[in-house]
């Protein structure tokens, strides 16, 4: 049996705007093994969330998945989700059951006009037809208990605005987990939560992964969280994966200048308070009709002449350690020019 439960290959998701084409995701490739956690990391605007929505086929107009493959291997017949219409019956069966998502802002993602319980029961009813309302409520209460929700009976009948930020996030996790998905996409699930609650949420996800043999795509900009959660890491910049490998290889031997910049910007225990954190100069460009060049070249201190003339390919420099950078072209003895 194929060890990969999800394979994303050369994914392209573009937004056709009046001002041009916004290439939010442009040639993204990574694979997710069963029971594995892959971390997708990068600055805001690099395409992490659009990649997640592309997998779920929830990208809204004017955005559209224009190319690539999203191969989901459920153990039977692998299917390419790109071939499914976003509103097709087949995609609706998968979304929320086989592949579920914890959204970045639970307060904005949960419906404000329905109670937490009503939203959970609906999720069960859609994907578990044989469950009556009583059985569905019992299942939802079990999940609210499992996520450590205080006073679950009360919170079951509460509206999102009546919950704290941490409780809202627990409700979102319970909603995402109630159908025991095979793949969980967590889009910055600890953003805006205090450190104690962040640790509780990450521990909770690890618990569910072990209990349900689940694979996780963990999206964040926090290198500390990704070091704790991820088995492998895909570093994204300007809509592309610029480095991809095991968490150990990324942290021990970062190859791409951008990855090294991210790691140097992390706070270090024991550093003197007067010392300034390292920063990557400049800002992420807007990928609106971007030129055919390395997206990082305008901020890179190691840029080469070819960086401004064409796009480098994602090359395997070490076993299962890939990088998109012209600095490594000679090591492979092959053309490093991408699409």
């Amino acid at each position: 049996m194929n060890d990969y439960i999800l394979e994303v290959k050369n994914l392209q998701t573009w937004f056709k705007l009046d001002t041009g084409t916004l290439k939010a995701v442009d040639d993204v490739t990574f694979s997710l093994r069963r029971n594995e956690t892959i971390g997708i990391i990068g600055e805001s605007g690099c395409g992490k969330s659009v990649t997640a929505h592309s997998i779920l086929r929830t990208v809204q107009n004017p955005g559209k998945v224009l190319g690539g493959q999203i191969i989901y291997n459920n153990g039977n017949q692998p299917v390419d989700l790109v071939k499914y219409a976003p509103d097709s019956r087949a995609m609706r069966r998968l979304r929320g059951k086989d592949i579920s998502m914890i959204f970045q802002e639970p307060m904005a993602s949960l419906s404000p006009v329905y109670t937490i319980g009503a939203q959970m029961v609906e999720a069960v009813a859609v994907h578990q037809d044989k469950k009556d309302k009583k059985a569905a409520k019992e299942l939802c209460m079990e999940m609210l208990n499992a996520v450590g929700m205080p006073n679950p009976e009360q919170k079951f009948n509460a509206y999102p605005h009546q919950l704290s930020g941490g409780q809202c996030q627990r409700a979102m996790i319970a909603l995402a987990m109630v159908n025991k998905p095979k793949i969980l996409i967590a889009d910055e699930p600890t953003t805006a939560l205090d450190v104690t609650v962040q640790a509780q949420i990450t521990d909770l996800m690890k618990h569910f992964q072990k209990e349900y043999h689940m694979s996780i795509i963990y999206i964040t900009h926090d290198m500390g969280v990704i070091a704790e959660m991820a088995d492998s890491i895909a570093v994204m910049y300007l809509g592309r994966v610029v480095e991809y490998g095991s968490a150990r290889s990324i942290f021990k031997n970062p190859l791409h200048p951008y990855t090294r910049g991210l790691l140097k910007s992390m706070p270090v225990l024991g550093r003197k308070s007067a010392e300034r954190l390292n920063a990557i100069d400049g800002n992420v460009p807007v990928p609106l009709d971007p030129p055919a060049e390395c997206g990082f070249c305008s901020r890179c201190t190691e840029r080469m002449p070819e960086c401004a003339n064409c796009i480098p390919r994602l090359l395997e420099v070490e076993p299962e350690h890939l990088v998109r950078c012209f600095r490594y072209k000679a090591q492979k003895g092959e053309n490093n020019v991408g699409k």
Side-chain angles (χ1 to χ4, degrees), residues 62-63 70 76 80-81 91 113-114 119 130 144 217 235 246-247 253 263 270 287 297 317 321 326 339:
I70 304 170
N76 299 315
D80 184 0
L81 303 185
M91 196 63 231
V113 297
Y114 292 100
Q119 294 178 65
K130 296 181 181 179
L144 286 173
I217 299 174
V235 182
S246 68
N253 184 30
L263 290 172
C297 71
V317 176
H321 191 171
F326 284 116
K339 51 190 286 186

Side-chain angles (χ1 to χ4, degrees), residues 313-328:
R313 288 197 299 123
L314 197 62
L315 289 179
E316 187 175 43
V317 176
E318 301 173 347
E320 297 188 351
H321 191 171
L322 294 80
V323 64
R324 189 188 295 272
C325 182
F326 284 116
R327 294 177 67 247
Y328 301 94

Side-chain angles (χ1 to χ4, degrees), residues 15-22 62-63 288:
F15 291 76
K16 298 288 186 180
L17 308 177
D18 293 339
T19 51
T21 301
L22 185 73
L288 191 65

Side-chain angles (χ1 to χ4, degrees), residues 82-95:
V82 171
K83 295 181 179 178
Y84 287 171
D87 59 349
S88 66
R89 185 177 180 183
M91 196 63 231
R92 290 200 304 270
R93 280 200 302 263
L94 287 173
R95 190 188 299 127

